[in-house]
């Protein structure tokens, strides 16, 4: 099978030509496997697609056009109304997001009672000190002033969660740059102030290349170089 070890980027599939040579062609959106309702995704064109296969296949077929260039995965769910993000909210976003990321890792650490848990041994050792510190800020709705005070006082406990989330998202491909589509998992109802995520990262993109580098990501979360 010529396609066995031949990899294509998202939106394309391997095709074997007349001379048995493999090449990548656009995925036919109509040929994508059927999906469940919870697998629907929303594109930046505010259109609901039956899964990422259909969205990226559509994007591939529009390659070279303005519409294709602008089409990305916006978030994992059917398209919905997203309220406006105010200037005040986008300013406070890093406070809530840092706290949320730290507590997500703490929750994973607590669940991982065996070696086959979500976190690797190296990741667990990074989170262990924060978890064992009985003075750490517990999960909950805290005032902005308290979140800011805790960040300044316990800065070191927030550095790893911010780095960890970047590398969790950096998968397609793993190139130390986050695209609009790689940020899509953050646009979920469980994420605090998720309606501000798009605006926040647009403003984080200092060089306006539509990709978030690790340095830009850390700067936006107040992590020193």
């Amino acid at each position: 099978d010529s396609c066995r070890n031949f990899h294509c980027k998202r939106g394309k599939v391997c095709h074997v030509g007349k001379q048995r040579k493999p090449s990548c062609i656009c995925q036919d959106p109509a040929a994508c496997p059927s999906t469940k309702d919870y697998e629907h995704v929303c594109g930046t064109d505010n259109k609901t697609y039956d899964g990422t296969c259909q969205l990226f296949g559509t994007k591939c077929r529009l390659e070279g056009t303005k519409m294709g260039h602008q089409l990305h995965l916006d978030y994992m769910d059917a398209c919905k109304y997203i309220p406006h993000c105010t200037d005040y909210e986008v300013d406070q976003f890093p406070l809530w997001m840092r706290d949320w990321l730290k507590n997500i890792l703490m929750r994973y650490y607590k669940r991982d009672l065996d070696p086959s848990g979500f976190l690797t041994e190296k990741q667990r050792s990074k989170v262990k000190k924060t978890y064992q510190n009985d003075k750490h800020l517990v999960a909950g709705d805290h005032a902005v002033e308290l979140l800011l005070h805790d960040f300044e006082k316990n800065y070191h406990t927030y550095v790893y969660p911010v780095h960890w989330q970047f590398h969790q998202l950096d998968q397609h491909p793993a190139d130390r740059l986050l695209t609009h589509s790689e940020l899509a998992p953050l646009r979920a109802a469980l994420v605090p102030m998720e309606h501000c995520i798009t605006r926040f990262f647009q403003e984080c993109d200092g060089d306006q290349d539509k990709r978030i580098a690790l340095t830009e990501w850390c700067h936006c979360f107040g992590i020193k170089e």
Side-chain angles (χ1 to χ4, degrees):
D1 184 355
S2 303
C3 284
R4 183 182 297 275
N5 295 311
F6 194 82
H7 300 288
C8 298
K9 69 177 185 179
R10 298 171 87 176
K12 295 191 175 186
V13 292
C14 181
H15 172 74
V16 179
K18 293 181 180 179
Q19 298 180 346
R20 305 301 299 167
K21 287 187 177 182
S23 63
C24 293
I25 63 171
C26 287
Q27 165 77 51
D28 179 4
C32 289
S34 59
T35 58
K36 306 292 184 183
D37 286 346
Y38 60 80
E39 295 175 311
H40 289 174
V41 297
C42 186
T44 47
D45 56 355
N46 202 36
K47 177 181 175 182
T48 298
Y49 293 84
D50 294 335
T52 54
C53 173
Q54 189 182 90
L55 185 147
F56 285 107
T58 301
K59 178 177 174 63
C60 181
R61 292 195 160 197
L62 293 171
E63 197 169 342
T65 67
K66 182 179 180 180
M67 189 178 296
H69 179 71
Q70 293 178 340
L71 179 59
H72 301 284
L73 171 61
D74 202 10
Y75 51 88
M76 315 294 285
D77 203 351
C79 293
K80 57 191 176 185
Y81 169 73
I82 296 179
H84 173 70
C85 176
T86 66
D87 291 343
Y88 174 79
E89 287 177 318
V90 82
D91 286 342
Q92 306 307 319
F93 182 85
L95 293 173
W96 299 106
M97 195 66 180
R98 284 191 306 246
D99 183 63
W100 182 75
L101 290 175
K102 184 186 70 173
N103 283 298
I104 284 289
L105 275 176
M106 302 263 269
R107 198 180 308 158
Y108 286 150
Y109 181 90
K110 190 175 181 179
R111 285 180 185 172
D112 287 359
L113 300 177
D114 60 77
S116 62
F118 186 86
L119 300 177
T120 65
E121 196 59 38
K122 184 177 181 180
Q123 289 171 333
R124 283 179 58 80
S125 67
K126 293 274 190 180
V127 183
K128 185 177 181 180
K129 288 182 179 179
T130 303
Y131 182 81
Q132 291 180 335
N133 179 6
D134 56 6
K135 293 183 179 179
H136 72 257
L137 197 61
V138 297
D141 293 327
H142 301 294
V144 168
E145 293 77 15
L146 182 57
L147 290 174
L148 184 58
H149 173 74
D150 192 63
F151 177 64
E152 293 172 348
K153 183 180 178 182
N154 300 300
Y155 168 82
H156 63 283
T157 66
Y158 291 93
V159 175
Y160 180 68
V162 170
H163 284 181
W164 171 80
Q165 181 65 88
F166 182 92
H167 293 292
Q168 287 294 111
L169 296 170
D170 184 25
Q171 301 291 334
H172 304 288
D175 57 359
R176 296 175 68 84
L177 294 167
L178 296 182
T179 62
H180 196 106
S181 295
E182 285 176 313
L183 289 167
L186 286 182
R187 297 178 184 86
L190 295 177
V191 179
M193 298 172 69
E194 54 101 7
H195 62 289
C196 285
I197 287 174
T198 297
R199 180 181 169 185
F200 178 73
F201 287 115
Q202 283 174 343
E203 295 182 9
C204 273
D205 185 14
D207 55 10
Q208 297 296 300
D209 66 348
K210 299 188 183 301
R211 296 178 297 179
I212 306 294
L214 180 59
T215 51
E216 291 174 319
W217 172 275
C218 288
H219 176 74
C220 283
F221 282 106
I223 304 301
K224 302 165 189 173
E225 287 190 25

